Amino acid sequence: MKILLIMDPGIAVPPPNYGGHERLVYMFAEEYIKLGHEVTLLAGPNSVISGKVYTFGVNNLQRSKWQKTKELLFVWKFLYQKRKQFDLIHNFGRLAYLIPILNGSVKKIMTYGRPVAQAGIKNITAMANQHLIFTACSNYCVGTGNVAGRWETVYNAIDFSKYKLQKNVEANAPLMFLGRLDKIKGLHTAIQVAKATDNKLWIGGNIPDTADNYQYYKETLEPQFDGEQIIYLGALNDEQKNHYLGKAKALLFPIEWDEPFGMVMVEAMACGTPVIGFRRGSVPEVIANGKNGFIVKNKEAMIQSLQEITTIDRTACRAFAFEKFDVSIIAKQYLNL
Protein backbone atom coordinates (compact mmCIF):
# COMPACT_ATOMS: atom_id res chain seq x y z
CA MET A 1 0.00 0.00 0.00
CA LYS A 2 1.16 3.56 -0.75
CA ILE A 3 0.76 5.73 2.35
CA LEU A 4 1.15 9.49 2.79
CA LEU A 5 1.71 10.81 6.32
CA ILE A 6 1.12 14.53 6.93
CA MET A 7 2.39 16.58 9.87
CA ASP A 8 2.25 20.33 10.46
CA PRO A 9 5.53 22.25 10.16
CA GLY A 10 6.89 23.82 13.33
CA ILE A 11 9.03 20.92 14.55
CA ALA A 12 10.96 18.48 12.37
CA VAL A 13 10.04 14.78 12.15
CA PRO A 14 11.55 13.15 14.19
CA PRO A 15 11.86 15.97 16.74
CA PRO A 16 15.35 16.86 18.00
CA ASN A 17 13.99 17.32 21.53
CA TYR A 18 10.38 18.11 22.50
CA GLY A 19 7.65 17.02 20.09
CA GLY A 20 5.41 14.12 21.04
CA HIS A 21 3.26 14.18 17.92
CA GLU A 22 6.26 14.46 15.62
CA ARG A 23 7.82 11.46 17.35
CA LEU A 24 4.61 9.50 16.78
CA VAL A 25 4.55 10.32 13.08
CA TYR A 26 8.16 9.15 12.71
CA MET A 27 7.44 5.88 14.54
CA PHE A 28 4.39 5.12 12.41
CA ALA A 29 6.27 5.93 9.20
CA GLU A 30 9.06 3.49 10.12
CA GLU A 31 6.61 0.83 11.29
CA TYR A 32 4.54 1.07 8.09
CA ILE A 33 7.76 0.69 6.09
CA LYS A 34 8.79 -2.31 8.23
CA LEU A 35 5.42 -3.90 7.38
CA GLY A 36 6.21 -3.56 3.67
CA HIS A 37 4.31 -0.41 2.73
CA GLU A 38 5.61 2.46 0.60
CA VAL A 39 5.60 5.58 2.79
CA THR A 40 5.85 9.27 1.90
CA LEU A 41 6.05 12.03 4.52
CA LEU A 42 4.89 15.62 4.09
CA ALA A 43 6.20 17.68 7.02
CA GLY A 44 8.36 20.63 8.11
CA PRO A 45 11.97 21.30 7.09
CA ASN A 46 14.71 18.85 8.16
CA SER A 47 12.25 15.97 8.45
CA VAL A 48 13.62 12.49 7.71
CA ILE A 49 12.16 9.00 7.39
CA SER A 50 13.34 5.87 5.58
CA GLY A 51 10.86 6.60 2.77
CA LYS A 52 10.32 9.65 0.55
CA VAL A 53 10.04 13.10 2.16
CA TYR A 54 8.50 16.38 0.95
CA THR A 55 8.99 19.42 3.17
CA PHE A 56 7.08 22.69 3.44
CA GLY A 57 6.63 25.68 5.71
CA VAL A 58 9.01 26.72 8.49
CA ASN A 59 9.97 25.12 11.80
CA ASN A 60 8.69 27.78 14.16
CA LEU A 61 5.83 27.20 16.57
CA GLN A 62 5.24 30.97 16.76
CA ARG A 63 4.92 31.41 13.00
CA SER A 64 2.37 33.94 11.72
CA LYS A 65 -1.19 33.32 10.50
CA TRP A 66 -0.08 34.39 7.04
CA GLN A 67 2.66 31.75 7.11
CA LYS A 68 0.12 29.11 8.12
CA THR A 69 -2.16 30.23 5.29
CA LYS A 70 0.68 29.78 2.79
CA GLU A 71 1.31 26.31 4.22
CA LEU A 72 -2.36 25.40 3.82
CA LEU A 73 -2.36 26.47 0.18
CA PHE A 74 0.81 24.44 -0.42
CA VAL A 75 -0.77 21.29 1.02
CA TRP A 76 -3.97 21.81 -0.99
CA LYS A 77 -1.99 22.00 -4.23
CA PHE A 78 0.20 19.04 -3.25
CA LEU A 79 -2.76 16.80 -2.39
CA TYR A 80 -4.80 17.74 -5.41
CA GLN A 81 -1.90 17.06 -7.77
CA LYS A 82 -0.89 13.77 -6.13
CA ARG A 83 -4.28 12.55 -4.93
CA LYS A 84 -4.20 9.44 -7.12
CA GLN A 85 -0.71 8.38 -6.05
CA PHE A 86 -1.71 7.13 -2.59
CA ASP A 87 -3.98 4.44 -1.16
CA LEU A 88 -4.09 5.99 2.32
CA ILE A 89 -3.53 9.55 3.55
CA HIS A 90 -2.92 9.61 7.31
CA ASN A 91 -3.14 13.19 8.53
CA PHE A 92 -1.75 14.29 11.90
CA GLY A 93 -1.83 17.96 10.89
CA ARG A 94 -4.63 20.46 10.28
CA LEU A 95 -8.04 19.05 9.36
CA ALA A 96 -8.36 21.74 6.65
CA TYR A 97 -5.50 20.08 4.73
CA LEU A 98 -7.95 17.39 3.58
CA ILE A 99 -10.50 19.70 1.91
CA PRO A 100 -9.34 19.17 -1.71
CA ILE A 101 -9.56 15.37 -1.41
CA LEU A 102 -12.51 14.99 0.97
CA ASN A 103 -14.74 13.37 -1.63
CA GLY A 104 -11.92 11.56 -3.41
CA SER A 105 -11.58 7.78 -3.47
CA VAL A 106 -8.35 7.74 -1.42
CA LYS A 107 -8.80 6.45 2.13
CA LYS A 108 -8.25 9.12 4.77
CA ILE A 109 -7.51 8.93 8.50
CA MET A 110 -7.56 12.17 10.51
CA THR A 111 -5.80 11.66 13.85
CA TYR A 112 -6.10 13.89 16.93
CA GLY A 113 -3.83 13.96 19.95
CA ARG A 114 -5.64 16.70 21.87
CA PRO A 115 -9.23 17.87 22.50
CA VAL A 116 -11.07 18.43 19.23
CA ALA A 117 -12.70 21.62 17.91
CA GLN A 118 -16.24 20.43 17.17
CA ALA A 119 -17.03 23.24 14.74
CA GLY A 120 -14.37 21.99 12.35
CA ILE A 121 -15.76 18.45 12.46
CA LYS A 122 -19.29 19.68 11.74
CA ASN A 123 -18.11 21.85 8.84
CA ILE A 124 -15.99 19.13 7.23
CA THR A 125 -18.59 16.38 7.53
CA ALA A 126 -21.25 18.71 6.08
CA MET A 127 -19.23 18.69 2.85
CA ALA A 128 -19.39 15.80 0.40
CA ASN A 129 -16.91 13.22 1.67
CA GLN A 130 -16.08 9.54 1.53
CA HIS A 131 -13.59 7.12 3.08
CA LEU A 132 -12.89 9.49 5.99
CA ILE A 133 -12.25 8.15 9.50
CA PHE A 134 -11.53 10.30 12.55
CA THR A 135 -9.35 8.86 15.29
CA ALA A 136 -8.22 10.25 18.63
CA CYS A 137 -5.74 9.01 21.21
CA SER A 138 -8.22 8.07 23.97
CA ASN A 139 -11.92 7.52 24.57
CA TYR A 140 -11.85 10.81 26.46
CA CYS A 141 -10.39 12.60 23.43
CA VAL A 142 -12.84 10.94 21.02
CA GLY A 143 -15.65 12.19 23.26
CA THR A 144 -14.58 15.80 22.70
CA GLY A 145 -15.06 15.60 18.94
CA ASN A 146 -17.54 12.84 18.22
CA VAL A 147 -20.37 15.06 16.95
CA ALA A 148 -20.38 13.85 13.34
CA GLY A 149 -18.62 11.34 11.11
CA ARG A 150 -17.06 7.99 11.99
CA TRP A 151 -14.82 7.99 15.08
CA GLU A 152 -12.46 5.37 16.50
CA THR A 153 -10.14 5.33 19.50
CA VAL A 154 -6.55 4.46 18.62
CA TYR A 155 -4.15 5.02 21.49
CA ASN A 156 -0.82 6.76 21.16
CA ALA A 157 2.22 4.50 21.01
CA ILE A 158 5.86 4.24 21.93
CA ASP A 159 8.57 1.92 20.65
CA PHE A 160 9.06 -0.41 23.63
CA SER A 161 12.32 -1.70 22.15
CA LYS A 162 13.86 1.68 23.00
CA TYR A 163 13.11 1.25 26.73
CA LYS A 164 14.91 -1.12 29.07
CA LEU A 165 13.01 -3.03 31.74
CA GLN A 166 14.35 -2.50 35.25
CA LYS A 167 12.99 -5.54 37.09
CA ASN A 168 13.89 -4.39 40.58
CA VAL A 169 14.67 -1.12 42.35
CA GLU A 170 15.87 -0.33 45.84
CA ALA A 171 13.29 0.26 48.57
CA ASN A 172 14.55 3.84 48.89
CA ALA A 173 14.51 4.47 45.12
CA PRO A 174 13.34 7.98 44.18
CA LEU A 175 9.95 8.97 42.87
CA MET A 176 9.84 10.55 39.41
CA PHE A 177 8.00 13.44 37.75
CA LEU A 178 8.37 13.96 34.02
CA GLY A 179 6.63 16.63 31.95
CA ARG A 180 6.41 20.33 31.23
CA LEU A 181 6.73 22.37 34.42
CA ASP A 182 3.33 24.01 33.82
CA LYS A 183 0.89 24.37 36.69
CA ILE A 184 -1.65 21.98 35.13
CA LYS A 185 0.92 19.17 35.26
CA GLY A 186 0.84 19.30 39.05
CA LEU A 187 4.52 19.20 40.00
CA HIS A 188 3.77 21.18 43.19
CA THR A 189 1.60 18.25 44.31
CA ALA A 190 4.31 15.72 43.45
CA ILE A 191 6.76 17.70 45.60
CA GLN A 192 4.28 17.68 48.50
CA VAL A 193 3.85 13.91 48.15
CA ALA A 194 7.63 13.35 48.13
CA LYS A 195 8.10 15.48 51.24
CA ALA A 196 5.18 13.88 53.07
CA THR A 197 6.57 10.38 52.43
CA ASP A 198 10.26 11.28 52.90
CA ASN A 199 11.12 10.22 49.35
CA LYS A 200 13.52 11.76 46.87
CA LEU A 201 11.87 13.20 43.78
CA TRP A 202 13.60 13.33 40.41
CA ILE A 203 12.12 15.97 38.11
CA GLY A 204 12.58 16.05 34.34
CA GLY A 205 10.95 18.60 32.08
CA ASN A 206 11.06 21.86 30.18
CA ILE A 207 10.95 25.20 31.98
CA PRO A 208 7.77 26.99 30.82
CA ASP A 209 7.94 29.89 28.36
CA THR A 210 4.46 31.37 28.91
CA ALA A 211 4.34 34.26 31.40
CA ASP A 212 1.89 32.71 33.87
CA ASN A 213 3.59 29.32 33.97
CA TYR A 214 7.07 30.86 34.16
CA GLN A 215 5.93 32.83 37.20
CA TYR A 216 4.58 29.60 38.71
CA TYR A 217 7.94 27.95 38.06
CA LYS A 218 9.98 30.81 39.59
CA GLU A 219 7.77 31.37 42.64
CA THR A 220 6.36 27.92 43.46
CA LEU A 221 8.75 25.32 42.08
CA GLU A 222 12.31 26.62 41.81
CA PRO A 223 12.65 27.62 45.49
CA GLN A 224 11.95 23.98 46.44
CA PHE A 225 14.68 22.48 44.22
CA ASP A 226 17.38 21.65 46.77
CA GLY A 227 19.49 19.17 44.81
CA GLU A 228 19.19 16.64 47.63
CA GLN A 229 15.56 15.60 48.09
CA ILE A 230 13.83 17.60 45.33
CA ILE A 231 16.16 17.29 42.34
CA TYR A 232 15.59 19.06 39.03
CA LEU A 233 17.36 17.17 36.24
CA GLY A 234 16.46 19.52 33.37
CA ALA A 235 14.87 18.56 30.06
CA LEU A 236 15.71 14.89 29.43
CA ASN A 237 16.50 13.19 26.13
CA ASP A 238 15.36 9.64 25.40
CA GLU A 239 18.46 7.99 26.86
CA GLN A 240 18.19 10.00 30.07
CA LYS A 241 14.46 9.30 30.39
CA ASN A 242 15.20 5.59 30.07
CA HIS A 243 17.84 5.81 32.81
CA TYR A 244 15.89 7.80 35.38
CA LEU A 245 12.46 6.25 34.79
CA GLY A 246 13.95 2.78 35.17
CA LYS A 247 15.55 3.59 38.51
CA ALA A 248 12.43 5.22 39.99
CA LYS A 249 9.97 3.27 42.12
CA ALA A 250 6.97 5.17 40.75
CA LEU A 251 6.05 7.98 38.38
CA LEU A 252 3.72 10.58 39.88
CA PHE A 253 1.11 12.04 37.52
CA PRO A 254 -0.93 14.53 39.61
CA ILE A 255 -2.46 16.43 36.69
CA GLU A 256 -4.86 19.35 37.10
CA TRP A 257 -6.35 19.12 33.61
CA ASP A 258 -7.92 16.47 31.37
CA GLU A 259 -4.82 14.97 29.77
CA PRO A 260 -5.67 13.66 26.26
CA PHE A 261 -3.24 10.74 26.61
CA GLY A 262 -0.07 11.19 28.69
CA MET A 263 2.78 9.51 26.81
CA VAL A 264 5.08 9.74 29.83
CA MET A 265 2.90 7.24 31.69
CA VAL A 266 3.56 4.61 29.03
CA GLU A 267 7.27 5.48 28.89
CA ALA A 268 7.48 4.78 32.61
CA MET A 269 5.60 1.50 32.26
CA ALA A 270 7.96 0.43 29.46
CA CYS A 271 10.76 0.62 32.04
CA GLY A 272 8.66 -1.40 34.48
CA THR A 273 7.89 1.66 36.60
CA PRO A 274 4.28 1.90 37.83
CA VAL A 275 2.35 5.17 37.63
CA ILE A 276 0.14 6.85 40.21
CA GLY A 277 -2.16 9.32 38.47
CA PHE A 278 -5.15 11.49 39.23
CA ARG A 279 -8.46 10.36 37.73
CA ARG A 280 -8.74 12.91 34.92
CA GLY A 281 -8.78 12.77 31.12
CA SER A 282 -7.27 9.55 29.76
CA VAL A 283 -5.67 8.38 33.02
CA PRO A 284 -8.30 5.64 33.67
CA GLU A 285 -7.62 4.28 30.17
CA VAL A 286 -3.84 4.11 30.56
CA ILE A 287 -3.55 2.93 34.16
CA ALA A 288 -5.07 -0.40 35.21
CA ASN A 289 -5.35 -0.40 38.99
CA GLY A 290 -2.92 -2.82 40.58
CA LYS A 291 -1.39 -3.93 37.25
CA ASN A 292 0.66 -0.95 36.08
CA GLY A 293 -0.13 1.63 38.74
CA PHE A 294 -2.94 3.22 40.71
CA ILE A 295 -5.67 5.73 39.85
CA VAL A 296 -6.31 8.11 42.75
CA LYS A 297 -8.53 11.10 43.36
CA ASN A 298 -6.26 13.44 45.34
CA LYS A 299 -2.91 14.02 47.04
CA GLU A 300 -3.86 12.09 50.17
CA ALA A 301 -4.83 9.03 48.13
CA MET A 302 -1.57 9.32 46.16
CA ILE A 303 0.38 9.26 49.43
CA GLN A 304 -1.62 6.23 50.59
CA SER A 305 -1.10 4.30 47.36
CA LEU A 306 2.68 4.60 47.64
CA GLN A 307 2.47 2.07 50.47
CA GLU A 308 1.19 -0.49 47.93
CA ILE A 309 3.58 0.28 45.09
CA THR A 310 5.76 -2.78 45.81
CA THR A 311 2.75 -5.05 45.13
CA ILE A 312 3.08 -4.27 41.41
CA ASP A 313 5.34 -6.65 39.50
CA ARG A 314 7.53 -4.50 37.25
CA THR A 315 7.90 -7.16 34.55
CA ALA A 316 4.13 -7.59 34.38
CA CYS A 317 3.70 -3.79 34.39
CA ARG A 318 5.73 -3.52 31.18
CA ALA A 319 4.09 -6.55 29.56
CA PHE A 320 0.58 -5.25 30.20
CA ALA A 321 1.43 -1.84 28.71
CA PHE A 322 3.22 -3.40 25.71
CA GLU A 323 0.10 -5.25 24.59
CA LYS A 324 -1.87 -2.01 24.57
CA PHE A 325 0.59 0.70 23.51
CA ASP A 326 3.57 -0.66 21.53
CA VAL A 327 3.99 0.90 18.08
CA SER A 328 3.75 -2.54 16.42
CA ILE A 329 0.27 -3.01 17.91
CA ILE A 330 -1.02 0.51 17.23
CA ALA A 331 0.27 0.74 13.63
CA LYS A 332 -1.67 -2.42 12.76
CA GLN A 333 -4.80 -0.94 14.35
CA TYR A 334 -4.56 2.04 12.00
CA LEU A 335 -4.01 -0.18 8.97
CA ASN A 336 -6.94 -2.40 9.98
CA LEU A 337 -9.17 0.68 9.95
Side-chain angles (χ1 to χ4, degrees):
M1 186 159 61
K2 294 182 178 179
I3 302 173
L4 173 67
L5 287 169
I6 306 176
M7 184 62 206
D8 291 323
I11 301 174
V13 174
N17 293 304
Y18 175 78
H21 238 67
E22 289 77 12
R23 186 170 280 106
L24 278 174
V25 171
Y26 178 77
M27 279 196 302
F28 289 130
E30 296 303 309
E31 190 65 26
Y32 291 158
I33 291 167
K34 191 187 300 183
L35 292 169
H37 301 287
E38 186 179 318
V39 179
T40 300
L41 172 67
L42 177 61
N46 304 316
S47 295
V48 179
I49 63 167
S50 299
K52 185 181 288 186
V53 179
Y54 292 92
T55 61
F56 72 110
V58 295
N59 285 337
N60 177 2
L61 293 177
Q62 274 74 50
R63 63 198 189 281
S64 67
K65 287 185 178 180
W66 171 236
Q67 174 60 35
K68 291 180 179 180
T69 300
K70 289 193 292 183
E71 293 166 359
L72 178 63
L73 294 174
F74 177 93
V75 176
W76 281 356
K77 182 179 179 181
F78 180 94
L79 289 180
Y80 186 77
Q81 290 178 339
K82 300 182 184 296
R83 65 192 184 281
K84 295 181 180 178
Q85 295 182 17
F86 303 106
D87 304 301
L88 167 65
I89 294 176
H90 192 173
N91 183 23
F92 289 79
R94 294 172 63 182
L95 175 59
Y97 290 160
L98 297 179
I99 287 175
I101 56 166
L102 267 182
N103 204 32
S105 59
V106 61
K107 295 178 176 64
K108 297 166 281 288
I109 297 176
M110 177 67 219
T111 292
Y112 287 95
R114 57 181 63 87
V116 182
Q118 295 184 354
I121 303 300
K122 291 175 181 176
N123 291 336
I124 284 288
T125 53
M127 302 179 193
N129 69 86
Q130 59 175 326
H131 307 307
L132 173 62
I133 300 173
F134 298 101
T135 71
C137 59
S138 61
N139 294 332
Y140 159 74
C141 210
V142 165
T144 68
N146 190 7
V147 290
R150 176 186 169 188
W151 283 82
E152 301 284 348
T153 297
V154 183
Y155 291 119
N156 282 344
I158 66 168
D159 183 349
F160 274 66
S161 69
K162 305 289 187 188
Y163 294 83
K164 184 178 179 182
L165 170 64
Q166 191 83 22
K167 293 183 180 180
N168 299 291
V169 296
E170 300 291 333
N172 65 345
L175 301 170
M176 183 86 192
F177 175 93
L178 185 59
R180 294 193 319 273
L181 307 191
D182 292 358
K183 189 174 188 299
I184 59 172
K185 296 291 188 174
L187 175 53
H188 53 283
T189 302
I191 292 172
Q192 291 168 8
V193 169
K195 289 182 174 180
T197 56
D198 199 27
N199 279 293
K200 279 188 177 180
L201 178 66
W202 283 336
I203 300 163
N206 294 50
I207 294 173
D209 53 10
T210 59
D212 55 342
N213 281 306
Y214 185 71
Q215 182 180 6
Y216 159 76
Y217 163 76
K218 293 297 289 185
E219 295 180 359
T220 304
L221 301 181
E222 192 177 39
Q224 301 191 74
F225 297 167
D226 58 18
E228 295 181 5
Q229 182 182 13
I230 310 301
I231 303 165
Y232 177 52
L233 304 167
L236 304 182
N237 60 29
D238 289 348
E239 185 178 340
Q240 292 169 321
K241 282 194 289 187
N242 210 334
H243 171 80
Y244 287 108
L245 284 171
K247 291 185 177 298
K249 64 180 159 194
L251 176 80
L252 302 185
F253 201 68
I255 51 171
E256 297 187 356
W257 74 309
D258 292 323
E259 185 84 44
F261 183 75
M263 200 91 72
V264 64
M265 291 191 285
V266 182
E267 291 175 327
M269 294 167 188
C271 299
T273 301
V275 181
I276 307 173
F278 283 178
R279 186 185 293 277
R280 294 199 62 168
S282 65
V283 168
E285 299 176 61
V286 179
I287 299 177
N289 259 325
K291 293 183 178 180
N292 55 14
F294 297 102
I295 305 165
V296 297
K297 61 182 180 180
N298 54 33
K299 178 182 70 175
E300 289 70 30
M302 183 170 278
I303 291 170
Q304 186 70 26
S305 68
L306 273 172
Q307 298 177 18
E308 303 175 56
I309 208 70
T310 55
T311 64
I312 294 179
D313 180 272
R314 293 174 67 97
T315 301
C317 171
R318 175 185 164 102
F320 182 85
F322 178 94
E323 291 299 326
K324 200 170 181 181
F325 303 116
D326 185 64
V327 64
S328 64
I329 306 290
I330 302 300
K332 287 172 184 171
Q333 289 181 12
Y334 277 124
L335 296 178
N336 286 341
L337 289 183

